[in-house]
Amino acid sequence: MTIIAILGGTGHEGSGLGLRWAKAGHQVIIGSRTAEKAQSAAIELNAKLGVTSVQGMDNLAAAQAADLVVLTVPYAAHAATIESVRTAVQGKIFVDVTVPLVPPKVSRVQLPAAGSASQEAQTLLGADVKVVTAFQNISAEHLKDPDHTIDCDVLVCGDDKDAKTTVIQLAADAGMTAWDAGPLANAVVPEGLTSVLIGLNMRYKVKSSGIQITGIK
Amino acid sequence: MTIIAILGGTGHEGSGLGLRWAKAGHQVIIGSRTAEKAQSAAIELNAKLGVTSVQGMDNLAAAQAADLVVLTVPYAAHAATIESVRTAVQGKIFVDVTVPLVPPKVSRVQLPAAGSASQEAQTLLGADVKVVTAFQNISAEHLKDPDHTIDCDVLVCGDDKDAKTTVIQLAADAGMTAWDAGPLANAVVPEGLTSVLIGLNMRYKVKSSGIQITGIK
């Protein structure tokens, strides 16, 4: 069992991940800007699962209480949220799910100067935080139905091998196949791929396109 | 039938594409730095297919003779090859298959300052050339066996819709499923994905990992 804080966990992606991890027996803490919003989301997840284990806290308290911290905020809140928990996450695994979308052209890849949001996170957090990027390409719609089989693989990038192994296992616990996709420098691919998939959804009139790795399984 | 020049077509990726397009009835011209090398490669492809239609020319002559030009050179030769055919390809579709790998760390995504090799090509060629990016993720090993079913999809990026439609059809002619993956700005994704797939091949001890788009088909 891992104590997982999901910052911005009241959103669709974060609450979907929280639901699946709580169902798999992990201790999930939903984080939000206010403890009240987080607690409402936690109550909802507990009711949906018939459990009482999910907690809600403000982002900082959630990050302090957790072994592993997951960030699922819109890109506009990325840097500020990271700054607010920097001390609390030192030495921990920090899973960045953020996609640097630039509205309104969200189907156009527009990566930040540092290369990717995850590389920005590593710079802001410092070398003692194990930043891993994952889950950007997974449909929130599919995550929040725990019985839906997810047909999109997870690309996991990071510079710490053990941290990636932990995240690959967490993906499996949530019903997903994940792959070690290389160093954090490779995060441009899953982050950029999100815009490509949003564009495919629009052009081919589907809701949840994804990718699967072939030639391995 | 399209007259297709494949610049750098003596390499594995280019000759594999040429083989499949010639088999599908297109007029293929293999281009190389010297006409002699190109002609040898053309003779080999003709022998393999039992045809006489494949021709070999130097890159410039090939580009001049073709309706549509495909570039499959190592990144080190990318800019110089483009400069050498700039006038010859004006008004044509130019399919850039180049991946900006930086040896020896080819499994690490290291994109050029312009964002991608394809965006560099567009800048070098000017606005009257319809630059499309495609085929970076396809195993050359699988291409050169025309009976091998390719289980890797093709992401096609470009700013000209009709040019993309043409390339998606050419992919189908060569036995591949291709998708309109958005504007040329999105080329960072298929280009970067090549490094991710090279890394997966190494870490998971396989030869030809690829991707398939899910949730559409």
Side-chain angles (χ1 to χ4, degrees):
Chain A
M1 191 196 80
T2 306
I3 305 177
I4 305 169
I6 307 176
L7 313 185
T10 57
H12 291 298
E13 195 83 9
S15 60
L17 288 167
L19 181 76
R20 284 172 175 252
W21 284 326
K23 190 171 180 243
H26 293 293
Q27 169 66 54
V28 171
I29 307 169
I30 298 295
S32 185
R33 270 169 298 178
T34 67
E36 293 68 30
K37 271 191 68 180
Q39 282 154 3
S40 303
I43 288 167
E44 221 174 282
L45 290 186
N46 281 328
K48 204 163 172 180
L49 289 170
V51 300
T52 56
S53 65
V54 181
Q55 294 175 275
M57 301 179 189
D58 66 65
N59 282 328
L60 178 58
Q64 286 168 333
D67 304 323
L68 182 148
V69 176
V70 179
L71 182 65
T72 60
V73 294
Y75 184 56
H78 185 248
T81 309
I82 288 172
E83 295 281 9
S84 74
V85 299
R86 184 167 45 193
T87 309
V89 302
Q90 292 301 312
K92 298 180 183 176
I93 297 174
F94 187 90
V95 183
D96 198 347
V97 189
T98 308
V99 179
L101 299 177
V102 184
K105 291 202 172 179
V106 292
S107 68
R108 185 185 187 88
V109 178
Q110 297 182 79
L111 296 166
S116 62
S118 300
Q119 287 166 292
E120 291 183 322
Q122 186 73 71
T123 302
L124 290 168
L125 291 170
D128 288 341
V129 177
K130 296 158 194 161
V131 175
V132 173
T133 185
F135 304 115
Q136 294 93 342
N137 307 136
I138 308 298
S139 154
E141 201 64 33
H142 291 171
L143 279 177
K144 73 180 182 193
D145 173 3
D147 298 321
H148 187 97
T149 302
I150 292 177
D151 66 354
C152 181
D153 288 358
V154 179
L155 299 177
V156 178
C157 304
D159 294 333
D160 186 289
K161 181 86 184 158
D162 292 341
K164 283 190 283 191
T165 303
T166 298
V167 174
I168 289 168
Q169 182 57 51
L170 281 181
D173 294 345
M176 291 173 267
T177 301
W179 304 98
D180 178 351
L184 200 66
N186 291 4
V188 295
V189 173
E191 291 187 16
L193 192 55
T194 306
S195 289
V196 169
L197 296 174
I198 290 170
L200 291 178
N201 290 347
M202 288 164 25
R203 278 187 292 281
Y204 294 94
K205 304 189 195 316
V206 297
K207 280 190 173 170
S208 307
S209 62
I211 61 145
Q212 265 177 359
I213 298 297
T214 60
I216 298 189
K217 286 174 277 193
Chain B
M1 192 197 78
T2 306
I3 306 177
I4 305 169
I6 307 177
L7 312 185
T10 58
H12 292 296
E13 194 82 10
S15 61
L17 288 168
L19 181 76
R20 285 173 175 251
W21 284 326
K23 189 170 181 246
H26 293 291
Q27 169 67 53
V28 171
I29 308 169
I30 298 294
S32 186
R33 270 167 299 177
T34 69
E36 293 69 28
K37 272 191 69 181
Q39 282 153 5
S40 303
I43 288 167
E44 221 173 282
L45 289 186
N46 282 327
K48 204 163 174 182
L49 289 170
V51 300
T52 56
S53 64
V54 181
Q55 294 175 276
M57 301 180 188
D58 66 65
N59 282 328
L60 178 58
Q64 284 167 334
D67 304 322
L68 180 148
V69 176
V70 180
L71 182 65
T72 61
V73 294
Y75 184 56
H78 185 248
T81 309
I82 289 172
E83 295 280 8
S84 74
V85 299
R86 185 168 44 193
T87 309
V89 302
Q90 291 302 311
K92 297 180 183 175
I93 297 174
F94 187 89
V95 183
D96 198 347
V97 189
T98 307
V99 179
L101 298 177
V102 184
K105 292 201 172 180
V106 293
S107 68
R108 185 184 187 88
V109 178
Q110 297 182 79
L111 296 166
S116 63
S118 300
Q119 287 166 293
E120 290 183 322
Q122 186 72 71
T123 302
L124 290 167
L125 291 169
D128 288 341
V129 178
K130 295 158 195 161
V131 175
V132 174
T133 187
F135 304 115
Q136 294 93 341
N137 307 135
I138 308 298
S139 155
E141 201 65 31
H142 291 171
L143 280 177
K144 73 181 184 193
D145 173 4
D147 298 321
H148 186 98
T149 303
I150 293 177
D151 66 355
C152 181
D153 288 358
V154 179
L155 299 178
V156 178
C157 305
D159 294 332
D160 186 290
K161 181 85 186 159
D162 292 342
K164 284 190 282 190
T165 302
T166 299
V167 175
I168 289 168
Q169 181 57 50
L170 282 181
D173 294 346
M176 291 172 269
T177 301
W179 304 98
D180 178 350
L184 201 65
N186 292 5
V188 295
V189 173
E191 292 187 16
L193 192 57
T194 307
S195 289
V196 168
L197 295 174
I198 290 170
L200 291 178
N201 289 347
M202 289 163 26
R203 278 186 293 280
Y204 294 94
K205 303 188 195 320
V206 297
K207 281 189 173 169
S208 308
S209 61
I211 62 143
Q212 266 178 359
I213 298 297
T214 59
I216 298 191
K217 285 175 278 193

